[in-house]
Coordinates of all heavy atoms in Angstrom, one line a residue:
L373 N -37.8 -20.0 59.0 CA -39.1 -19.3 59.3 C -38.8 -18.5 60.6 O -38.7 -19.0 61.7 CB -40.2 -20.3 59.5 CG -40.5 -21.2 58.3 CD1 -41.5 -22.2 58.6 CD2 -40.8 -20.3 57.1
K374 N -38.8 -17.2 60.4 CA -38.5 -16.3 61.5 C -39.7 -16.0 62.4 O -40.8 -15.9 62.0 CB -38.0 -14.9 61.0 CG -36.5 -14.9 60.7 CD -36.0 -15.9 59.8 CE -34.5 -16.0 59.7 NZ -34.1 -17.1 58.7
T375 N -39.4 -16.0 63.7 CA -40.4 -15.7 64.7 C -40.5 -14.2 64.9 O -39.6 -13.4 64.5 CB -40.1 -16.3 66.1 OG1 -38.8 -15.7 66.5 CG2 -39.9 -17.8 66.0
P376 N -41.6 -13.7 65.4 CA -41.7 -12.2 65.7 C -40.5 -11.6 66.5 O -40.1 -10.5 66.3 CB -43.0 -12.0 66.4 CG -43.9 -13.2 65.8 CD -42.9 -14.3 65.7
Y377 N -40.0 -12.4 67.4 CA -38.8 -12.0 68.2 C -37.7 -11.7 67.3 O -37.0 -10.7 67.4 CB -38.5 -13.1 69.2 CG -37.1 -12.9 69.9 CD1 -36.9 -11.9 70.9 CD2 -36.0 -13.7 69.5 CE1 -35.6 -11.8 71.4 CE2 -34.8 -13.5 70.0 CZ -34.6 -12.6 71.0 OH -33.3 -12.4 71.6
E378 N -37.4 -12.7 66.4 CA -36.3 -12.5 65.5 C -36.5 -11.3 64.6 O -35.5 -10.6 64.3 CB -36.1 -13.8 64.6 CG -35.8 -15.0 65.5 CD -35.6 -16.2 64.6 OE1 -36.5 -16.8 64.1 OE2 -34.4 -16.5 64.4
V379 N -37.7 -11.1 64.1 CA -37.9 -9.9 63.2 C -37.7 -8.6 64.0 O -37.1 -7.7 63.5 CB -39.4 -10.0 62.6 CG1 -39.7 -8.7 61.8 CG2 -39.5 -11.3 61.8
A380 N -38.1 -8.7 65.3 CA -37.9 -7.5 66.1 C -36.4 -7.2 66.3 O -36.0 -6.0 66.3 CB -38.6 -7.6 67.5
C381 N -35.7 -8.2 66.5 CA -34.2 -8.1 66.7 C -33.6 -7.5 65.4 O -32.7 -6.7 65.4 CB -33.5 -9.4 67.1 SG -33.9 -9.9 68.7
T382 N -34.0 -8.1 64.3 CA -33.4 -7.6 63.0 C -33.8 -6.2 62.7 O -33.0 -5.4 62.2 CB -34.0 -8.5 61.8 OG1 -33.7 -9.9 62.1 CG2 -33.3 -8.2 60.5
E383 N -35.0 -5.8 63.2 CA -35.4 -4.4 63.0 C -34.6 -3.5 63.8 O -34.1 -2.4 63.4 CB -36.9 -4.3 63.2 CG -37.4 -2.9 62.8 CD -38.8 -2.9 62.3 OE1 -39.5 -3.9 62.4 OE2 -39.2 -1.9 61.7
E384 N -34.3 -3.9 65.0 CA -33.4 -3.1 65.9 C -32.0 -3.0 65.3 O -31.4 -1.9 65.3 CB -33.2 -3.7 67.3 CG -34.4 -3.5 68.2 CD -34.8 -2.0 68.4 OE1 -33.8 -1.2 68.7 OE2 -35.9 -1.6 68.3
A385 N -31.5 -4.1 64.7 CA -30.2 -4.1 64.0 C -30.2 -3.2 62.8 O -29.2 -2.5 62.4 CB -29.8 -5.5 63.6
T386 N -31.4 -3.1 62.2 CA -31.6 -2.2 61.0 C -31.5 -0.7 61.4 O -31.0 0.1 60.7 CB -32.9 -2.5 60.3 OG1 -32.9 -3.9 60.0 CG2 -33.1 -1.7 59.1
I387 N -32.2 -0.4 62.6 CA -32.2 1.0 63.0 C -30.7 1.4 63.3 O -30.3 2.5 62.9 CB -33.0 1.1 64.3 CG1 -34.5 0.9 63.9 CG2 -32.8 2.4 65.0 CD1 -35.5 0.7 65.1
L388 N -30.0 0.5 63.9 CA -28.5 0.8 64.2 C -27.8 0.9 62.9 O -27.0 1.9 62.6 CB -27.9 -0.3 65.0 CG -28.2 -0.3 66.5 CD1 -27.7 -1.6 67.1 CD2 -27.5 0.9 67.2
G389 N -28.0 0.0 62.0 CA -27.3 0.0 60.7 C -27.6 1.2 59.9 O -26.7 1.8 59.2
A390 N -28.9 1.7 59.9 CA -29.3 2.9 59.2 C -28.5 4.1 59.7 O -28.1 4.9 58.9 CB -30.8 3.1 59.3
K391 N -28.3 4.1 61.0 CA -27.5 5.3 61.6 C -26.1 5.3 61.0 O -25.5 6.3 60.7 CB -27.4 5.1 63.1 CG -28.5 5.7 63.9 CD -28.1 5.7 65.3 CE -29.2 5.8 66.3 NZ -28.8 5.5 67.7
G392 N -25.5 4.1 61.0 CA -24.2 3.9 60.4 C -24.1 4.3 59.0 O -23.2 5.0 58.6
H393 N -25.1 3.9 58.2 CA -25.1 4.3 56.8 C -25.2 5.8 56.6 O -24.6 6.3 55.7 CB -26.3 3.5 56.1 CG -25.8 2.2 55.5 ND1 -25.3 2.0 54.3 CD2 -25.9 1.0 56.1 CE1 -25.0 0.7 54.1 NE2 -25.3 0.1 55.2
E394 N -26.1 6.4 57.4 CA -26.2 7.9 57.2 C -24.9 8.5 57.6 O -24.4 9.5 56.8 CB -27.3 8.4 58.2 CG -28.7 8.2 57.5 CD -29.8 8.2 58.5 OE1 -29.6 8.5 59.7 OE2 -31.0 8.0 58.1
A395 N -24.2 8.1 58.6 CA -22.9 8.7 59.0 C -21.9 8.4 57.9 O -21.0 9.3 57.6 CB -22.5 8.1 60.4
G396 N -21.9 7.2 57.4 CA -20.9 6.8 56.4 C -21.1 7.6 55.1 O -20.1 8.1 54.5
R397 N -22.3 7.8 54.7 CA -22.6 8.6 53.5 C -22.1 10.1 53.7 O -21.5 10.7 52.8 CB -24.1 8.5 53.2 CG -24.4 9.3 51.9 CD -25.9 9.2 51.7 NE -26.4 7.9 51.3 CZ -27.7 7.5 51.3 NH1 -28.6 8.3 51.7 NH2 -28.0 6.3 50.9
K398 N -22.4 10.6 54.9 CA -22.1 12.0 55.2 C -20.6 12.1 55.1 O -20.0 13.1 54.5 CB -22.6 12.3 56.6 CG -22.6 13.8 56.9 CD -23.4 14.0 58.2 CE -22.9 15.4 58.8 NZ -23.1 15.4 60.2
A399 N -19.9 11.2 55.7 CA -18.4 11.3 55.7 C -17.9 11.2 54.2 O -17.0 12.0 53.8 CB -17.8 10.1 56.5
F400 N -18.5 10.3 53.4 CA -18.0 10.2 52.0 C -18.2 11.5 51.3 O -17.3 12.0 50.6 CB -18.9 9.1 51.3 CG -18.8 9.1 49.8 CD1 -17.7 8.8 49.1 CD2 -20.0 9.4 49.1 CE1 -17.6 8.8 47.7 CE2 -20.0 9.4 47.7 CZ -18.8 9.1 47.0
L401 N -19.4 12.1 51.5 CA -19.7 13.4 50.7 C -18.8 14.5 51.2 O -18.5 15.4 50.4 CB -21.2 13.7 50.9 CG -22.2 12.8 50.2 CD1 -23.6 13.1 50.5 CD2 -22.0 12.7 48.7
A402 N -18.2 14.3 52.4 CA -17.3 15.4 52.9 C -15.8 15.0 52.4 O -14.9 15.7 52.8 CB -17.4 15.5 54.4
G403 N -15.7 13.9 51.7 CA -14.3 13.6 51.1 C -13.5 12.6 51.9 O -12.3 12.5 51.7
A404 N -14.2 11.9 52.8 CA -13.4 10.9 53.7 C -12.9 9.7 52.9 O -13.4 9.4 51.8 CB -14.4 10.4 54.8
S405 N -11.9 9.1 53.5 CA -11.3 7.9 52.9 C -12.1 6.7 53.3 O -13.0 6.8 54.2 CB -9.9 7.7 53.4 OG -9.9 7.4 54.8
E406 N -11.8 5.5 52.7 CA -12.5 4.3 53.1 C -12.4 4.0 54.6 O -13.4 3.6 55.3 CB -12.0 3.1 52.3 CG -12.3 3.2 50.8 CD -11.5 2.2 49.9 OE1 -10.6 1.6 50.4 OE2 -11.8 2.1 48.7
L407 N -11.2 4.2 55.1 CA -11.0 3.9 56.5 C -11.8 4.9 57.4 O -12.4 4.4 58.4 CB -9.5 4.0 56.9 CG -9.1 3.6 58.2 CD1 -9.3 2.1 58.4 CD2 -7.6 3.9 58.5
E408 N -11.8 6.1 57.0 CA -12.6 7.1 57.8 C -14.1 6.8 57.7 O -14.8 7.0 58.7 CB -12.3 8.5 57.3 CG -10.8 9.0 57.7 CD -10.3 10.1 56.8 OE1 -10.9 10.4 55.8 OE2 -9.3 10.7 57.2
I409 N -14.5 6.4 56.5 CA -16.0 6.1 56.4 C -16.3 4.9 57.3 O -17.4 4.9 57.9 CB -16.3 5.8 54.9 CG1 -16.1 7.1 54.1 CG2 -17.7 5.3 54.7 CD1 -16.1 6.8 52.6
H410 N -15.4 3.9 57.3 CA -15.6 2.7 58.1 C -15.8 3.2 59.6 O -16.7 2.7 60.3 CB -14.5 1.8 58.0 CG -14.4 0.7 59.0 ND1 -15.2 -0.4 59.0 CD2 -13.7 0.6 60.2 CE1 -15.0 -1.2 60.1 NE2 -14.1 -0.6 60.8
Y411 N -14.9 4.0 60.0 CA -15.0 4.4 61.5 C -16.2 5.3 61.7 O -16.7 5.3 62.8 CB -13.7 5.0 62.0 CG -12.7 3.8 62.3 CD1 -11.6 3.5 61.6 CD2 -13.1 2.9 63.2 CE1 -10.8 2.4 61.8 CE2 -12.3 1.7 63.5 CZ -11.2 1.5 62.8 OH -10.5 0.4 63.1
A412 N -16.6 6.1 60.7 CA -17.8 6.9 60.9 C -19.0 5.9 61.1 O -19.9 6.2 62.0 CB -18.1 7.7 59.7
F413 N -19.0 4.8 60.4 CA -20.1 3.8 60.5 C -20.0 3.2 61.9 O -21.0 3.2 62.7 CB -19.9 2.7 59.5 CG -21.1 1.8 59.4 CD1 -22.1 1.9 58.4 CD2 -21.2 0.8 60.4 CE1 -23.2 1.0 58.4 CE2 -22.3 -0.1 60.3 CZ -23.3 0.0 59.4
V414 N -18.8 2.7 62.3 CA -18.6 2.0 63.6 C -19.0 2.9 64.8 O -19.7 2.5 65.7 CB -17.2 1.5 63.7 CG1 -16.8 1.1 65.1 CG2 -17.0 0.3 62.7
Q415 N -18.6 4.2 64.6 CA -18.8 5.1 65.7 C -20.3 5.4 65.9 O -20.9 5.5 67.0 CB -18.1 6.4 65.5 CG -18.1 7.3 66.8 CD -17.1 8.4 66.8 OE1 -16.4 8.6 65.8 NE2 -16.9 9.0 67.9
A416 N -21.0 5.5 64.7 CA -22.4 5.8 64.8 C -23.2 4.6 65.4 O -24.2 4.8 66.1 CB -23.0 6.1 63.4
V417 N -22.7 3.4 65.1 CA -23.4 2.2 65.6 C -23.0 2.0 67.1 O -23.9 1.6 67.9 CB -23.0 0.9 64.8 CG1 -23.4 -0.3 65.5 CG2 -23.6 1.0 63.4
G418 N -21.8 2.4 67.4 CA -21.3 2.3 68.8 C -20.9 0.9 69.2 O -21.4 0.3 70.2
C419 N -20.1 0.3 68.4 CA -19.6 -1.1 68.7 C -18.2 -1.2 68.3 O -17.6 -0.3 67.7 CB -20.5 -2.1 68.0 SG -20.3 -2.1 66.2
L420 N -17.6 -2.4 68.6 CA -16.3 -2.7 68.1 C -16.4 -3.2 66.7 O -17.4 -3.7 66.3 CB -15.6 -3.8 69.0 CG -15.4 -3.4 70.4 CD1 -14.9 -4.6 71.3 CD2 -14.4 -2.2 70.6
D421 N -15.2 -3.2 66.0 CA -15.3 -3.6 64.6 C -15.8 -5.0 64.4 O -16.7 -5.3 63.6 CB -13.8 -3.7 64.0 CG -13.3 -2.3 63.6 OD1 -13.7 -1.3 64.4 OD2 -12.6 -2.2 62.6
H422 N -15.4 -5.9 65.3 CA -15.8 -7.3 65.1 C -17.2 -7.6 65.6 O -17.7 -8.7 65.5 CB -14.8 -8.3 65.8 CG -14.7 -8.2 67.2 ND1 -13.8 -7.5 68.0 CD2 -15.5 -8.8 68.2 CE1 -14.0 -7.7 69.2 NE2 -15.1 -8.5 69.4
E423 N -17.8 -6.6 66.2 CA -19.2 -6.7 66.6 C -20.2 -6.3 65.5 O -21.4 -6.4 65.7 CB -19.5 -5.9 67.9 CG -18.7 -6.5 69.1 CD -18.7 -5.6 70.3 OE1 -19.0 -4.4 70.2 OE2 -18.5 -6.1 71.4
L424 N -19.7 -5.8 64.4 CA -20.5 -5.6 63.3 C -21.1 -6.9 62.8 O -20.7 -8.0 63.1 CB -19.7 -4.9 62.1 CG -19.2 -3.5 62.4 CD1 -18.3 -3.1 61.2 CD2 -20.4 -2.5 62.5
A425 N -22.1 -6.8 61.8 CA -22.7 -8.0 61.3 C -21.8 -8.8 60.5 O -21.9 -10.1 60.5 CB -23.9 -7.6 60.5
F426 N -20.8 -8.2 59.9 CA -19.8 -8.9 59.1 C -18.7 -7.8 58.8 O -19.0 -6.6 59.0 CB -20.4 -9.4 57.8 CG -21.3 -8.4 57.0 CD1 -20.7 -7.5 56.1 CD2 -22.6 -8.3 57.3 CE1 -21.4 -6.6 55.4 CE2 -23.4 -7.3 56.6 CZ -22.8 -6.5 55.7
P427 N -17.5 -8.2 58.3 CA -16.5 -7.2 58.0 C -17.1 -6.2 57.0 O -17.6 -6.6 55.9 CB -15.4 -8.1 57.4 CG -15.6 -9.4 57.9 CD -17.1 -9.6 58.0
S428 N -17.0 -5.0 57.3 CA -17.6 -3.9 56.5 C -17.0 -3.9 55.1 O -15.8 -4.1 54.9 CB -17.5 -2.6 57.1 OG -16.1 -2.2 57.1
I429 N -17.8 -3.6 54.1 CA -17.4 -3.4 52.7 C -17.5 -1.9 52.5 O -18.7 -1.4 52.4 CB -18.2 -4.2 51.7 CG1 -18.0 -5.7 52.1 CG2 -17.8 -3.9 50.3 CD1 -19.0 -6.6 51.4
V430 N -16.4 -1.2 52.4 CA -16.4 0.2 52.2 C -15.5 0.5 51.0 O -14.3 0.4 51.1 CB -15.8 1.0 53.4 CG1 -16.0 2.5 53.2 CG2 -16.5 0.5 54.7
A431 N -16.1 0.7 49.9 CA -15.4 0.7 48.6 C -15.6 2.0 47.8 O -16.7 2.3 47.5 CB -15.7 -0.5 47.8
L432 N -14.5 2.6 47.5 CA -14.6 3.8 46.7 C -14.2 3.5 45.2 O -13.2 2.7 45.0 CB -13.7 4.9 47.2 CG -14.0 5.5 48.6 CD1 -13.0 6.6 48.9 CD2 -15.4 6.0 48.6
D433 N -14.9 4.0 44.3 CA -14.6 3.9 42.9 C -14.4 2.5 42.4 O -15.2 1.6 42.7 CB -13.5 4.9 42.5 CG -13.9 6.4 42.7 OD1 -15.1 6.6 43.1 OD2 -13.1 7.3 42.5
E434 N -13.2 2.2 41.8 CA -13.1 0.9 41.1 C -13.2 -0.3 42.1 O -13.5 -1.4 41.7 CB -11.8 0.8 40.3 CG -10.5 0.6 41.0 CD -10.0 1.8 41.7 OE1 -10.6 2.9 41.7 OE2 -8.9 1.7 42.4
K435 N -12.9 0.0 43.4 CA -12.9 -1.1 44.4 C -14.3 -1.6 44.6 O -14.5 -2.7 45.1 CB -12.3 -0.6 45.7 CG -10.8 -0.2 45.6 CD -10.0 -1.4 45.2 CE -8.5 -1.0 45.2 NZ -7.6 -2.1 44.6
S436 N -15.3 -0.8 44.2 CA -16.7 -1.2 44.4 C -17.1 -2.3 43.5 O -18.2 -2.9 43.6 CB -17.7 0.0 44.3 OG -17.5 0.6 43.0
A437 N -16.2 -2.7 42.6 CA -16.5 -3.8 41.7 C -15.9 -5.1 42.3 O -16.0 -6.2 41.7 CB -15.9 -3.6 40.3
T438 N -15.2 -5.0 43.4 CA -14.8 -6.3 44.1 C -15.9 -6.6 45.2 O -16.1 -5.8 46.1 CB -13.4 -6.0 44.9 OG1 -12.5 -5.7 43.9 CG2 -13.0 -7.3 45.6
L439 N -16.6 -7.7 44.9 CA -17.8 -7.9 45.6 C -17.7 -7.8 47.2 O -18.5 -7.3 47.8 CB -18.5 -9.2 45.2 CG -18.7 -9.3 43.7 CD1 -19.4 -10.6 43.4 CD2 -19.6 -8.1 43.2
H440 N -16.7 -8.5 47.7 CA -16.5 -8.5 49.1 C -15.1 -7.8 49.5 O -14.3 -8.3 50.1 CB -16.5 -9.9 49.7 CG -17.9 -10.4 49.8 ND1 -18.2 -11.7 50.2 CD2 -19.1 -9.8 49.6 CE1 -19.5 -11.9 50.2 NE2 -20.1 -10.8 49.9
Y441 N -15.0 -6.6 49.0 CA -13.8 -5.8 49.2 C -13.8 -5.4 50.7 O -14.6 -4.7 51.2 CB -13.8 -4.5 48.3 CG -12.7 -3.5 48.6 CD1 -11.4 -3.7 48.2 CD2 -13.0 -2.3 49.3 CE1 -10.4 -2.8 48.4 CE2 -12.0 -1.4 49.6 CZ -10.8 -1.6 49.2 OH -9.8 -0.7 49.4
E442 N -12.7 -5.8 51.4 CA -12.7 -5.6 52.9 C -11.6 -4.7 53.3 O -11.4 -4.4 54.5 CB -12.7 -6.9 53.7 CG -14.0 -7.6 53.5 CD -14.1 -9.0 54.2 OE1 -13.0 -9.4 54.8 OE2 -15.1 -9.7 54.0
K443 N -10.6 -4.4 52.4 CA -9.5 -3.5 52.8 C -10.1 -2.1 53.0 O -11.2 -1.8 52.6 CB -8.5 -3.4 51.6 CG -7.9 -4.8 51.3 CD -6.5 -4.8 51.9 CE -5.7 -6.1 51.5 NZ -6.4 -7.3 51.3
K444 N -9.3 -1.3 53.6 CA -9.7 0.1 53.8 C -8.6 1.1 53.5 O -7.7 1.3 54.2 CB -10.1 0.4 55.3 CG -11.0 -0.7 56.0 CD -12.4 -0.6 55.6 CE -13.3 -1.6 56.3 NZ -13.2 -3.0 55.9
R445 N -8.6 1.6 52.3 CA -7.6 2.4 51.8 C -7.7 3.9 52.4 O -8.7 4.3 52.8 CB -7.6 2.6 50.3 CG -7.3 1.3 49.5 CD -7.5 1.6 48.0 NE -8.9 2.0 47.7 CZ -9.2 2.5 46.5 NH1 -8.4 2.5 45.5 NH2 -10.5 2.8 46.3
G446 N -6.5 4.5 52.3 CA -6.5 6.0 52.8 C -7.0 6.9 51.6 O -7.1 8.1 51.8
F447 N -7.3 6.3 50.5 CA -7.7 7.1 49.3 C -8.9 7.9 49.6 O -9.9 7.4 50.1 CB -8.0 6.1 48.1 CG -8.6 6.7 46.9 CD1 -8.0 7.6 46.2 CD2 -9.9 6.3 46.6 CE1 -8.6 8.1 45.0 CE2 -10.5 6.8 45.5 CZ -9.9 7.7 44.7
R448 N -8.8 9.2 49.3 CA -10.0 10.1 49.6 C -10.6 10.6 48.3 O -10.1 10.4 47.2 CB -9.4 11.4 50.2 CG -9.0 11.1 51.6 CD -8.2 12.4 52.1 NE -7.5 12.1 53.3 CZ -8.1 12.2 54.5 NH1 -9.3 12.6 54.6 NH2 -7.4 11.8 55.6
K449 N -11.7 11.3 48.5 CA -12.4 12.0 47.4 C -12.8 11.1 46.3 O -12.6 11.5 45.1 CB -11.5 13.2 46.9 CG -11.2 14.2 48.1 CD -10.8 15.5 47.5 CE -10.8 16.5 48.7 NZ -9.7 17.2 49.0
G450 N -13.3 10.0 46.6 CA -13.9 9.1 45.6 C -15.2 9.7 45.0 O -15.8 10.6 45.6
R451 N -15.6 9.2 43.9 CA -16.8 9.7 43.2 C -18.0 8.8 43.5 O -19.1 9.1 43.4 CB -16.6 9.8 41.7 CG -15.6 10.9 41.3 CD -15.0 10.7 40.0 NE -14.1 9.5 40.1 CZ -13.5 9.0 39.0 NH1 -13.6 9.5 37.8 NH2 -12.7 7.9 39.2
V452 N -17.6 7.5 43.8 CA -18.7 6.5 44.1 C -18.3 5.8 45.4 O -17.2 5.5 45.7 CB -18.6 5.4 43.0 CG1 -19.6 4.3 43.3 CG2 -18.9 6.0 41.6
L453 N -19.4 5.6 46.3 CA -19.2 4.9 47.5 C -20.2 3.7 47.5 O -21.4 3.9 47.4 CB -19.5 5.7 48.7 CG -19.7 4.9 50.0 CD1 -18.4 4.2 50.5 CD2 -20.2 5.8 51.2
L454 N -19.6 2.5 47.6 CA -20.5 1.3 47.8 C -20.2 0.9 49.3 O -19.1 0.6 49.7 CB -20.1 0.1 46.9 CG -21.1 -1.1 46.9 CD1 -21.1 -1.8 45.6 CD2 -20.8 -2.0 48.1
L455 N -21.3 1.0 50.1 CA -21.2 0.7 51.5 C -22.1 -0.4 51.8 O -23.3 -0.3 51.7 CB -21.5 2.0 52.3 CG -21.4 1.9 53.8 CD1 -20.1 1.5 54.3 CD2 -21.8 3.2 54.5
D456 N -21.5 -1.6 52.1 CA -22.3 -2.8 52.5 C -21.9 -3.1 53.9 O -20.8 -3.6 54.1 CB -21.9 -3.9 51.5 CG -22.7 -5.2 51.7 OD1 -23.4 -5.3 52.7 OD2 -22.6 -6.1 50.9
C457 N -22.8 -2.8 54.8 CA -22.5 -2.9 56.2 C -23.7 -3.1 57.0 O -24.8 -2.5 56.7 CB -21.7 -1.7 56.6 SG -20.6 -1.9 58.0
G458 N -23.6 -3.8 58.1 CA -24.8 -3.9 59.0 C -24.3 -4.0 60.5 O -23.2 -4.2 60.8
A459 N -25.3 -3.8 61.3 CA -25.1 -3.9 62.8 C -25.7 -5.1 63.3 O -26.4 -5.9 62.6 CB -25.7 -2.7 63.4
R460 N -25.5 -5.4 64.6 CA -26.2 -6.5 65.2 C -27.0 -6.0 66.5 O -26.6 -5.1 67.1 CB -25.2 -7.5 65.8 CG -24.6 -8.5 64.7 CD -23.8 -9.6 65.3 NE -23.1 -10.3 64.3 CZ -23.6 -11.3 63.6 NH1 -24.8 -11.8 63.9 NH2 -22.9 -11.9 62.6
H461 N -28.1 -6.8 66.7 CA -28.8 -6.6 68.0 C -29.1 -7.9 68.5 O -29.8 -8.7 67.9 CB -30.1 -5.7 67.7 CG -30.9 -5.5 69.0 ND1 -30.4 -4.6 69.9 CD2 -32.0 -6.0 69.4 CE1 -31.3 -4.6 70.9 NE2 -32.3 -5.5 70.7
L462 N -28.7 -8.2 69.8 CA -28.9 -9.5 70.4 C -28.5 -10.6 69.5 O -29.2 -11.7 69.4 CB -30.4 -9.7 70.8 CG -30.8 -8.7 72.0 CD1 -32.3 -8.7 72.1 CD2 -30.1 -9.0 73.3
G463 N -27.4 -10.4 68.8 CA -26.9 -11.4 67.9 C -27.4 -11.3 66.4 O -26.8 -11.9 65.5

Side-chain angles (χ1 to χ4, degrees):
L373 301 174
K374 272 55 190 180
T375 62
Y377 166 77
E378 296 184 281
V379 176
C381 289
T382 307
E383 191 146 10
E384 284 301 316
T386 303
I387 292 168
L388 283 171
K391 271 194 203 167
H393 270 272
E394 277 160 6
R397 181 182 289 166
K398 194 168 156 206
F400 164 67
L401 293 173
S405 70
E406 291 167 353
L407 189 64
E408 290 162 343
I409 295 166
H410 166 79
Y411 280 115
F413 188 102
V414 165
Q415 190 162 11
V417 170
C419 68
L420 298 173
D421 285 35
H422 69 263
E423 291 169 339
L424 292 172
F426 49 88
S428 68
I429 298 168
V430 187
L432 294 182
D433 294 359
E434 79 282 2
K435 298 297 182 188
S436 58
T438 300
L439 302 181
H440 282 175
Y441 172 78
E442 291 175 3
K443 298 258 186 325
K444 314 281 185 287
R445 294 176 299 172
F447 169 67
R448 289 167 191 275
K449 300 205 166 120
R451 291 155 293 174
V452 177
L453 166 67
L454 188 153
L455 182 57
D456 182 351
C457 205
R460 280 190 192 270
H461 181 74
L462 294 170

